Amino acid sequence: MELHFINPRKNALVYLIKILSGCLVLWYGLRAVGIAEPYWAMISLIIVTEPDMTVAKANFRARLINTLSGCIVSCIALVLFGPTFLAMLAALTAAVVVAMLLQNYPSNWRLGPATVVILLSAAFSGQGLNEELHLALMRVGEVIVGSTVALLQTVVYIWLVKRKEADDGPAAGA
């Protein structure tokens, strides 16, 4: 029996190595600095990870823009309404409106409203506005760290590929 539907895609091993190594770096690195469960950093790493620098930069930029806009909208909603479902609905509405009205907003605009849900759901477990804002900002920090690790991995990957090509170049011509 042949399994024609199973066919590894180009760069599958690169994705696997980058995602697993990045998750290890984030898990142990962020836990070492006091973040017990760095899930959002790992999710961001997965979203941004690409072997191509142009695509990785675009993913990083989109993740950063969406995270910051979602954070700003969420924090305003927290201050105005507190950690409530109403605040989440208001912030979701504002995040979608921002994404739809701004020219050149990243095409994966849904990350902004998703960030709102992530941040406000974290705030629901807070004990007052200061703790709720702190929890929201911690999630944003994790997203930025995870995205940055993914971008740095792409830089290292491209450097290693170029180095290998340079090392193979003289041998191939001999």
Side-chain angles (χ1 to χ4, degrees):
M1 178 172 102
E2 293 184 40
L3 301 175
H4 293 289
F5 62 93
I6 298 177
N7 186 8
R9 294 182 179 164
K10 182 181 178 190
N11 294 323
L13 185 59
V14 172
Y15 281 111
L16 179 63
I17 291 169
K18 287 175 72 176
I19 287 172
L20 291 178
S21 63
C23 285
L24 288 169
V25 166
L26 290 170
W27 185 262
Y28 290 108
L30 291 178
R31 288 175 62 106
V33 297
I35 298 174
E37 298 174 335
Y39 301 124
W40 299 115
M42 294 167 60
I43 291 167
S44 295
L45 171 99
I46 294 164
I47 290 171
V48 174
T49 293
E50 280 293 331
D52 178 78
M53 182 55 99
T54 304
V55 177
K57 281 183 184 178
N59 287 351
F60 178 83
R61 179 182 171 276
R63 188 72 170 142
L64 193 61
I65 289 169
N66 282 298
T67 298
L68 292 175
S69 69
C71 177
I72 291 167
V73 168
S74 295
C75 289
I76 291 170
L78 274 173
V79 170
L80 294 177
F81 304 111
T84 64
F85 184 65
L86 174 64
M88 185 180 286
L89 293 178
L92 278 170
T93 301
V96 171
V97 168
V98 165
M100 296 293 109
L101 292 179
L102 294 179
Q103 292 292 330
N104 299 320
Y105 199 87
S107 60
N108 53 354
W109 61 270
R110 289 173 190 88
L111 292 173
T115 300
V116 166
V117 173
I118 291 165
L119 297 182
L120 285 173
S121 65
F124 289 166
S125 64
Q127 303 290 332
L129 184 60
N130 285 340
E131 186 176 340
E132 292 151 3
L133 290 173
H134 173 75
L135 288 169
L137 294 175
M138 287 295 293
R139 295 290 187 268
V140 171
E142 285 184 51
V143 166
I144 291 170
V145 169
S147 299
T148 301
V149 167
L151 191 62
L152 290 173
Q153 281 187 309
T154 301
V155 169
V156 170
Y157 169 74
I158 289 172
W159 178 77
L160 289 172
V161 167
K162 287 182 179 179
R163 184 173 172 192
K164 180 168 178 17
E165 288 172 355
D167 290 346
D168 290 348

